[in-house]
Amino acid sequence: MIEFVFGPDDVARVRFAFSPLWELVRSVRVLADPSAHALHLPWMRAVRPRLRELDLMPLRALVPRHGYIPDFLTPPPESPLPDFGTELETVRSTPPDVVAKELCWVERGGVLGPERLAMAAAPERTLETLTDLLDRYWKAAIEPYWDAIRDLLEADVLRRTRAQAAHGAEGLFAGLHDAVRWRAGTLAIDRDWEFRGALGGRGLLLVPSVFVWPWVSVMVPPYQPMLGYPVSGVGTLWETAPAAPPDALAALIGRRRAQLLTALASPASTTELSRRLGVTPGAVSQHLGVLRACGLVAGHRVGRRVLYTRTPSGDALAQTATAQSTNG
């Protein structure tokens, strides 16, 4: 069990950040254990041909199917929206003695494999090999999908910050994951290792993730305390066609606008809606303009991007139409 004890200042210092590097590292685990990550099968089928020319052995040796991943591979994001190049430079600048120490760490009862031993014996060369491999893997497997992944991450942050504004810390952590529970100032996380400690004014960094699904990931001091958790709506990420909207809703506002309203069960950007519906961003913007004028959707700025959500009126209309379609 992991327990983070919050002081008065820590609740105010809970913050969100995305990590392209975290997504990359977690995706290596997905490739190693497809049966445990069935939602990502469409992505796996698409990227495997692109990875045939890469020797993934160094990454596979450091990213097992379960258990500890060397912390230097997943440094805490230093800004809410870091870019991959910046994170890669952070890995590249890891002191060699830290690399060697973390490569030699094994969980209780574990055995250090020969690959890890060889890598730990030459940490400078290992870092050079790893950073080159991470860069090539990013370009082949993650970068082509990053815009869609980022949209989903931003949508989750928007939803949770609204819950925090309405209900405080309890609203923020409610429904985060079955393994995470908020109890009277303490965040408890079910894990097979033990830690309990005060955050001491450092707050907690929350990192929404696509590829960590269906689990959570935790980092404890001396690093910045951090919790990686699976975003809502992961199953929609690889959809190639939208679900058909209820007939009654399509008849009322038009089929394309009904598809948009249905798709906005979770926040999304114009680009993501365009990808999911298979229409141009310009057409999506026109339909969103009509839905906004009718009070059915609203736009929310997150950084330099705008995410759209259904308003309470939009929720009521979509949910009523869906219920009538189901019952009819």
Side-chain angles (χ1 to χ4, degrees):
M1 176 72 72
I2 307 299
E3 292 183 311
F4 289 127
V5 181
F6 283 65
D9 294 336
D10 292 310
V11 175
R13 291 175 180 168
V14 173
R15 61 197 187 279
F16 290 89
F18 310 145
S19 174
L21 185 58
W22 269 49
E23 296 297 339
L24 183 158
V25 171
R26 289 291 170 179
S27 76
V28 175
R29 178 166 281 176
V30 169
L31 286 173
D33 193 6
S35 62
H37 304 87
L39 282 182
H40 296 305
L41 285 174
W43 171 80
M44 285 184 262
R45 284 193 291 266
V47 303
R48 274 179 170 159
R50 305 176 199 166
L51 298 175
R52 287 172 183 160
E53 296 182 1
L54 295 184
D55 178 12
L56 295 181
M57 187 282 292
L59 272 179
R60 293 191 187 280
L62 303 189
V63 185
R65 294 186 179 189
H66 305 284
Y68 174 73
I69 297 172
D71 291 324
F72 74 86
L73 279 181
T74 54
E78 295 184 356
S79 69
L81 299 169
D83 65 83
F84 176 72
T86 299
E87 291 193 306
L88 190 63
E89 286 306 310
T90 299
V91 175
R92 197 187 308 273
S93 63
T94 306
D97 62 315
V98 173
V99 174
K101 178 181 177 181
E102 293 185 358
L103 288 178
C104 289
W105 192 90
V106 294
E107 295 176 280
R108 184 176 300 175
V111 177
L112 191 63
E115 299 92 350
R116 292 271 289 270
L117 280 171
M119 295 169 77
E124 294 93 342
R125 185 170 67 244
T126 293
L127 266 182
E128 182 178 352
T129 299
L130 281 173
T131 50
D132 176 68
L133 180 56
L134 289 168
D135 187 46
R136 295 173 65 194
Y137 182 98
W138 165 262
K139 292 172 181 175
I142 306 298
E143 188 176 35
Y145 306 98
W146 181 243
D147 285 346
I149 291 172
R150 184 177 54 190
D151 277 351
L152 199 62
L153 302 178
E154 289 178 347
D156 190 88
V157 171
L158 176 60
R159 180 168 51 252
R160 295 201 177 278
T161 52
R162 292 168 68 185
Q164 182 182 25
H167 305 288
E170 185 173 357
L172 173 64
F173 295 117
L176 195 75
H177 192 274
D178 290 343
V180 178
R181 297 180 302 282
W182 172 259
R183 294 176 179 170
T186 297
L187 190 69
I189 307 156
D190 287 334
R191 300 288 284 173
D192 56 4
W193 50 287
E194 298 290 330
F195 175 85
R196 177 180 172 85
L199 294 178
R202 300 180 69 185
L204 180 67
L205 186 62
L206 292 177
V207 182
S209 172
V210 165
F211 289 107
V212 77
W213 181 92
W215 300 297
V216 296
S217 178
V218 184
M219 189 172 286
V220 301
Y223 290 94
Q224 165 65 47
M226 181 165 52
L227 172 63
Y229 66 92
V231 296
S232 300
V234 172
T236 68
L237 186 58
W238 315 120
E239 287 181 353
T240 56
D247 291 339
L249 184 60
L252 178 64
I253 62 175
R255 182 159 297 277
R256 188 64 73 192
R257 290 169 193 160
Q259 286 179 319
L260 279 170
L261 198 62
T262 302
L264 286 173
S266 59
S269 69
T270 300
T271 302
E272 172 62 9
L273 292 168
S274 172
R275 181 190 68 81
R276 291 176 59 186
L277 272 64
V279 296
T280 65
V284 170
S285 294
Q286 289 179 1
H287 290 304
L288 285 173
V290 174
L291 293 173
R292 289 186 71 171
C294 294
L296 300 177
V297 304
H300 304 270
R301 183 163 294 280
V302 179
R304 291 176 292 179
R305 298 150 63 81
V306 176
L307 295 181
Y308 290 90
T309 62
R310 292 196 305 226
T311 64
S313 297
D315 278 336
L317 180 60
Q319 291 165 5
T320 299
T322 300
Q324 290 176 344
S325 176
T326 302
N327 295 333

